[in-house]
Amino acid sequence: MNFFSEPLTLMTFFPLVGVLVLLFLPSDKKNVLRWTALVTSLITFGISLWVLTMFRSANPDLQLVAKYDWITVAGWNIQYHMGVDGLSILLVLLTTFLTPISILSTWTAVEERVKDFMIFFTLLEVGMLGVFLAQDLFLFYIFWEFTLVPMYFLIGIWGGPRRIYAAIKFFLYTMAGSILMLLAILFVGIQAGTFSVPDLAANLSGMYASGLIDPKTQMMLFVAFAAAFAIKVPMWPLHSWLPDAHVEAPTAGSVILAGVLLKMGTYGFLRFNIPLFPNATIAAAPWIALLATIGIIYGAAVSYAQSDVKKLVAYSSVSHLGFVMLGMFALNAQGISGGILQMVNHGLSTGALFLLVGMIYEQTHTREIKVYGGLWKITPVFGSIMLIVALSSMGLPGLNGFVGEFTILLGAWGAGMDGGSFAPMGGVWWAGLSALGVIMAAIYILFMFQRMFLGPQGEIVDEVKKHGHALRDLNWREILTIVPILIFIFWIGLYPAPFFNLMAPAVDKMVAALQAAAMAMH
Amino acid sequence: MPQSSDFQTILPLTILTVWACVLLLVDLFIPKTQKWITATLAAAGLAVTLGVTLAQLGGPASTGFSGMVVQDGFSTFLNALQLVCGLLGVALAFGYVKRMGLERGEYYTLLLFSVIGMMLMVQAADLIMVFLALEMLSIPLYVLAAFNRTQSASEESGLKYFLLGAFSTGFVVYGIALVFGATGTTNLAGILASAPTSGLLLTIGAALILVGFGFKVAAVPFHMWTPDVYQGAPTSVTGFMAAGAKIAGFAALLRVFSTAFPALAVDMTDILWALSALTMIGGNLLAISQSDIKRMLAYSSIAHAGYILMAFVPYGNPDVAPVSIAAGLFYLVAYAVTNFGAWGVVIAMEKSEGRGLAISDYAGLAKKHPVLAAAMTVFMLSLIGFPPTLGLVGKFYLFRAVLSGGFVWLAVIGVVTSLISAYYYLRVVVTMYMHEGEPTVEREFWLDFTWGLSALATVVLSFIPQALFVMASSALLK
Amino acid sequence: MVPVNFYIILSAILFTIGAMGVLVRRNPLIIFMSIELMLNSANLAMVAFSSAIKSFSGQIFVFFVIAVAAAEVGVGLALIVQIFKSRHSINVDEMNNLKG
Amino acid sequence: MNIDLILFIILALVAIATALGMLLSRNAVYSALFLVLNFATVAVFYLLLGAPFIAMAQITVYAGAIMVLFLFVIMLLGAEQLAPSKVIPAQKWVAGGLAFILVAETVYLLTVRGVPAGNILQPAESANSLGFLQQMGMMLFNEYLLPFEITSILLLVAMVGAIVLTKQEKGGQK
Amino acid sequence: MLFSETTSSGFFFLAPWIVFFPLIGLLTNLIFGGWFMKQPWGEKAIGWIASAASGAAFVASVLLAYSLSLNHGEVVRWTLGQWIHIGELELDWTFRVDTLSTTMMLVVSGVGTLIHIYAIGYMHEDVRFKSDLGRYQRFFVFFNLFIIAMMILVGGDSYMMLFVGWEGVGLCSFLLIGFWYDMDTLARPSWANSNAAKKAFITNRIGDFGFLIAGFIMFWYLKSFQFDQAFEAAKSMPPEIIVAITLFMLIGVAGKSSQIPLYVWLPDAMAGPTPVSALIHAATMVTAGVYLVARSAPLYTLVPQAQYIVAMTGAVTALFAATIAVGQYDIKKVLAYSTISQLGFMVAAVGMGAFVAGMFHLATHAFFKALLFLSAGSVILGLERGHHHLAHHGHGDHHEEVFDPGDMRNMGGLRKTMPVTFWLYMIGTLALAGIFPFAGFWSKDEILLDASLHYPTVYILLTIAAFFTAFYMGRQIWMVFFGQPRHEAAAHAEESPLIITAPLMVLAALSVLGGLLNLPFEGFHNLTHWLGYTLEEVEGLPLNLQVAGISTILALIAIAISWFIYGRNPLKKGQADPLKKPLGLIFTGMENKWFVDEGYWAVFVDRYIDISRFLADVIDWKFWHDFVHDKVIAGTYNWLANIALNDYADQKGINAFFDGWGKVTQWLSATTRKVQNGFVRSYALSIMLGVVLILGYLLLK
């Protein structure tokens, strides 16, 4: 297998080269280690851009496919099957984009066991890319579970005071969902005789039509898959691990956790639940919408009452991902496209929020909102960037968040109308209530921004001074870390067309398939 | 009179037996300080036998000694596995016994005899052979468990193992008697061919035999000896026992049940189902509260017996059994590989007089010995069933088989208990990586080799499991 | 003419008594003897069956059981003696350091 | 009621009584002696069942060799009687209950469920003849050659084990 | 007329430049501003660059208007690029040049430029009073940003592009209200300004929510956000749909144009620097709602019932706010409530379908209210200077009390010290009060006339509001400029420099002459004619002497009464408002804004905080996180595992929740472990048990 004819494989496993190099580097050469990891991730990012150039956005199907028989003995039919299509290309790019940024953010934040950190982080990238690229359920499952391991260490070793609790909770919760998925994967594999996702979709639809798999079974499979993904997303009410994990994780971990790992859940719905179980999807859509809507409102309300800024951002993820779920299960082009874009947006905005919070935490060692205040005056650049990111997160038009939220809500409203996926239950109420989330987002985001950056100077400023150094504004490295995200925040906000174009054919294809399934149901 | 073809069927066994007997004599001339020679010779014997066994791979099946033994793909596969276990058992012991002051040549000969018993168990085609093989494998293990005579724990372990082992043997013998009574023969094929006078008598006989095997593989409720014996026995013995005895027990169980009792599947499936479920639940739940790594791994081995048992549940269903049993065999291999690694790490951490065995002693291991900690992490992940390890592939295979057999709830119990297990396995990882401590580690080549190889195999084989799959599936009983 | 069932019931009773011995006695020697009784009762059943169906193989099996019992006794008694030497007691109830 | 049955019942009662004696004796020596009696009774059964060779083996190996070994060890260790202990008091009752159920199950199996049918026939004449022994020997060395050889190795292993366990190490730690 | 992409001739290529010019200004100041600030001329440079950027936009607007007139008012679209294209959803960055949007552009950039220039002077002093020079740069960046957003708002060719500007101005409003985010308007460290900013943004967002919902309905029924397409589709739609769209849109209008019930943010918005109040919270942004309704004229005219609701909302707001204005003491607060009231006029107008009247009033109001605000700013600065002067001349005790330069009770007699400002202020007041021939007279009368023709209720409400308007403006004039100074600072107040007064003069001129835009005489309906290109139903009403007469007379009476109360006997230092006694509770209500804010707090805000605290602390954390997950799930685990054995600090944290359970847990786990008791006999028992159970199962099966 020539790696250069296999860009996806090359991209996914390239970080392993970095891991190998890291393994042989002395652990006290911290900067060498950092640079190695950074360069590795940058090259991976480069490869992903190369992949992008080869990606034909007009093609709705999987592209750059690498497909080899892997385990085909003993009645197994497992393939090494990687491919990228409009549904995943953006997430792949998001992953390769956020990884170097996260590594950059650890430059001074991580001083302990740098080598281990970089190894785990680089390994994590392999897992994440694999999740988004794998087109074989078994392969997917391997990557899916694998991502847990490095993340577990990242939280558990470099996290906050309750890190072990958080790490174990993170691990067990995610695993609790994925084991149900494992059973469903096996069941589906046995029934359809293949684990390949595209083949499965074809085989299963035949089995639904012929009644080999009855609707109830289909629904159970849907639920089993959904269990894994919903915990990861996390959908309300399965979000309880998230605040712990986010609060305790080191900055880079939070960034990746929010930026990419949560997307694995929503992506899972998109890649597996919707295409493989279309009838169950249609039946479940209003219920998902209900949960998503509750999540949006609940997450936003709970965010507002947080006293810990990381927790606030964590709960805001519950709200934001509620939007993503709502959009995807609108099952129309607007909703799904918006959902995908919102995944990217959330990755950028929330990732950036965590980065920024991490930057200030590094100086103050506290995340209590109430001790801050008036920071904008002391750290104008930091404040301004925070403002942009916060606005992006609350969906200000012209910034990326709006494009996603708007299309999602638009799609959701359409889904609530006659013939739409939410019409059987709730109808336009889901979109209407979810739109309240827009107001509530403003409330908690502005609350956070005000309490930290506006108003009179907070006690932390003097507190820090007591330790002999004043609060400083962002340095060049930190600005360099955050600016790429800012560029995308504006780009997607102002000119999202290239992003939508990447996914449009694939989304249309999915919508068409769903419509066909809906027709077949009636 | 036996023909040469008869000996052909037990060729590896013969070689190893002769070697063991010779070694027994040779050892007398090896000075006390040079016992590594005995170890090397034992390993050489195992290696040679392994070579011979592998040469038999793919050969035709044959029976020998008036149907007493059989040599087929199944036996070759498992014999090879047992021999590898034996080799790893020697490797584990190599430095350990010296460090613990147990270095005596008989250790290795007894180990060889135990391997002989295991191989015999795999090849047995008559209940008499099964019984003898069971004893052949057990008696050396009783002695080995009590090998550390300076430690009362070791003696206690030996006695408990012995008394309970003999007790369970009583059931096996009684079971064989009932089977004989029902069918008039002890030959496995003969039992199948016979028209039993009473199905119920046969069933009960089979059930009593199952008790014996259940004891050997440590299935709940026949498991209670396991933690005590595993904890008390010298760790190198425990490591060997945990894999070898389990493999042998399962092999015999499989051989006996699918050759002789497929007709009893209706009743046995329920019992196996219950045993499997109980074993998974019990093993995992009890493991949670352990603070001693040896006990924890002991319960873990109980739990894994439960998983493997899952594969045997549909043994009588010709549609499902082949896949299912192949999955069980595969899982056995995965378990054995991981198991040796884990015990290897335990040995590396163990100090004399039983110190260094608490899980809390592993604190800080990742900082001081990152490679060892990484290897242990791999083993723990494999035991949970997490990628990228053989454990995941094994579980995947296993659950697939169980599901295709239609045992959805059993599979659910399986996955839920694996979730529970994640907690206690992770605790080891947490301790190694996230707590501060100053652990010291014993480094010796063969020990490093064992856990290193196991770790490597656990990871690498998870990516290229085909060969193992092929072997496991070809090892099916026709 | 004794029905074979009578023999089996007898052997079962003896077997159970043996099992009881394992369960209730604290002297490992007696436990061990009880195990021998269990084996013995199995042998009885075997011979009874063997006789009922006129097959020698049952008897030969019994022969092997006796031989194995002898081997077990060798090891078992050695173990008990050794333990007595180190502890000066053989009460199994005092051997519960390993537990939990 | 025929004579065989009467004989059987008498012997069975003796066997059960001796077994219970073994079980209940306070003194280990008594237990051992009860067991010897029991073994002897069983040997008589073997004779009745037409298995004289096994009966002989029973007497010589079991009642003779093994039990003597037991007695020897009991005497050697002075372990005739153990100090009474009060641990796990419920054990006795639970065990008794289980034993009762086990017996009940067997009886239910063999009487109510009625298996296996059939009677023990009068031992064939040949059973006590030399030809029978010869035949048995032939079987042992033909059909059962491998188990036979394995038994020999098993005994060897047991021997090694016993030595390993008890051998006083020269300059050992003890 | 739809999709007539005729852009061949004229200056239409300048359409996007109305945004790009301010953008260039913004970027220049953003990037180089830091460096500028270090130069002695830096402040000026920044101010002038920003003003020039805004001015360029104004020039571009003029040229666009000119080209449009050459084009006979034919709408022109200028597409810059794609925005969101998904399926049927096609949103582009398209600028729309028609008479309506051009009018708005002219007002926004014109007034905007003047205020920019004013701000050069104003902010120069303001940053010095508040001793934070660095913020000068930031101010102009925000100001340009505002112009950008506003231009997008008025220039967009679809509802969604409008919405971008709509929220964008909301953001700028937030930024500029909270400009002195770390203090209150009196330069004390405080949360006041940032609270006001936050309040403005959130209230606006509530309105935006309505806008969004309207948008969703619009898209799924009318299938487009583009104005013309939507209007075309609306014609064949059932009226309920249009009612829904228009009423949800009204929520948006209420938020942005500060109508009941969402007006509460605007008074607080006075926390921003005065140019901000003038530009954003009087002249431009707050009129966006009016523009939206005018823009949606084809929709509103389809559904009279919605029109009525809009009109009533406006009318009630007009009156309601006017009453509050009477009871205010802060010079800017009075103007703020006046603005709300005037916006009510405009909303009522566009609600009634009198779109031209509304737009006309919008334009004139922009002139005179900007003038008033800026003059008020000048007054405040004058007082600040006076105060400063005092502080520097040894009147040390003044440092002790916090001096509020915006409180009218501190003023008095400024006519003498600040004559220019006084006259300018007078012009603005007369225009606002609707005195002939000032701009306000013409525009207000047009509204009243329309109302008298179509909606008598609205007419009555508006007329009363007009009366109050004249009254509170009179009150203000008497209190500020007449009588004796009630504070040392007022006595020492200094006139503002030319940079400040010059823009005021321009605005004053506009306030005087603004009526010319649309005189109610045949042949002078310029604006009507102009807007007629875009708005299909416009009628140029002739002057109705009755309506004009009544309102003028009422205004004069109101001014007279105000003189009677405030002018005849000027307020003394520390004296309570003379109205307080006769009106009693009513005045207390006016003074306290009818307690609406307090009501909102009690009903909504506090409840929201309570609910979210309850959800967060009790439901999410105590119940869901701690109880269900940690106690029940993890606790069951603990119970099984007896984790207490292992000395993990983390689990101790969990165990803290188990105090009640502690003993039970221990007992249970001890029992569990008892089974594995180390006794061989027990283990054998377990085996035996297994055997008995298996046999039992087989026998009983």
Side-chain angles (χ1 to χ4, degrees), chain B residues 166-419:
Chain B
F167 183 58
S168 74
T169 307
F171 288 100
V172 176
V173 175
Y174 204 87
I176 293 175
L178 292 185
V179 170
F180 175 73
T183 61
T185 177
T186 52
N187 187 284
L188 296 182
I191 290 168
L192 180 62
S194 73
T197 53
S198 158
L200 197 53
L201 199 62
L202 183 62
T203 311
I204 289 181
L208 289 178
I209 294 175
L210 178 63
V211 171
F213 295 137
F215 175 85
K216 268 284 161 269
V217 303
V220 177
F222 316 116
H223 68 288
M224 293 183 81
W225 59 277
T226 320
D228 293 8
V229 172
Y230 278 22
Q231 188 187 0
T235 311
S236 59
V237 176
T238 309
F240 170 68
M241 183 158 68
K246 199 154 280 192
I247 294 170
F250 277 115
L253 177 66
L254 193 55
R255 171 79 80 190
V256 170
F257 272 65
S258 56
T259 313
F261 306 133
L264 305 181
V266 194
D267 295 324
M268 284 302 153
T269 296
D270 291 348
I271 292 172
L272 284 170
W273 195 104
L275 277 186
S276 164
L278 274 176
T279 309
M280 289 187 286
I281 296 172
N284 280 314
L285 286 186
L286 286 164
I288 299 169
S289 58
Q290 301 309 320
S291 53
D292 182 287
I293 188 109
K294 283 175 84 174
R295 281 191 90 79
M296 191 274 266
L297 284 174
Y299 280 113
S300 144
S301 91
I302 295 173
H304 282 271
Y307 294 122
I308 299 165
L309 264 177
M310 273 207 292
F312 291 18
V313 172
Y315 79 94
N317 180 346
D319 298 332
V320 185
V323 177
S324 182
I325 288 167
L329 294 182
F330 186 88
Y331 199 86
L332 263 181
V333 178
Y335 170 72
V337 171
T338 309
N339 174 72
F340 269 106
W343 286 109
V345 176
V346 173
I347 288 177
M349 291 293 294
E350 185 174 349
K351 315 285 172 302
S352 57
E353 282 146 33
R355 283 179 298 108
L357 289 173
I359 293 177
S360 52
D361 290 333
Y362 283 64
L365 190 62
K367 248 186 201 166
K368 287 203 74 183
H369 300 278
V371 184
L372 188 68
M376 190 60 166
T377 307
V378 166
F379 302 134
M380 293 298 117
L381 289 178
S382 182
L383 289 172
I384 303 175
F386 236 70
T389 63
L390 210 47
L392 169 80
V393 186
K395 279 225 169 93
F396 200 77
Y397 201 0
L398 196 60
F399 287 134
R400 179 174 175 268
V402 173
L403 276 179
S404 54
F407 300 97
V408 177
W409 285 109
L410 194 58
V412 170
I413 294 174
V415 291
V416 170
T417 50
S418 342
L419 177 66

Side-chain angles (χ1 to χ4, degrees), chain E residues 430-452:
Chain E
L430 292 173
L432 173 59
I435 306 298
F436 180 84
F438 294 95
F441 169 79
W442 303 108
S443 54
K444 188 188 283 176
D445 268 1
E446 203 171 324
I447 295 172
L448 289 174
L449 178 57
D450 239 308
S452 72

Side-chain angles (χ1 to χ4, degrees), chain B residues 2-73:
Chain B
Q3 308 294 310
S4 65
S5 66
D6 287 338
F7 286 99
Q8 192 71 37
T9 55
I10 56 162
L11 181 60
L13 205 54
T14 319
I15 294 171
L16 197 59
T17 312
V18 172
W19 196 297
C21 293
V22 171
L23 193 62
L24 204 54
L25 290 174
V26 171
D27 181 54
L28 297 175
F29 302 100
I30 295 174
K32 211 173 151 21
T33 51
Q34 303 292 313
K35 289 302 181 190
W36 60 271
I37 299 173
T38 319
T40 313
L41 287 175
L46 287 165
V48 169
T49 318
L50 181 61
V52 175
T53 307
L54 289 177
Q56 286 182 329
L57 211 65
S62 59
T63 54
F65 294 100
S66 323
M68 284 291 151
V69 287
V70 62
Q71 182 255 314
D72 52 12

Side-chain angles (χ1 to χ4, degrees), chain E residues 411-423:
Chain E
M411 301 177 186
L414 290 179
R415 179 184 43 160
K416 290 165 203 144
T417 43
M418 303 182 74
V420 183
T421 307
F422 165 66
W423 284 112

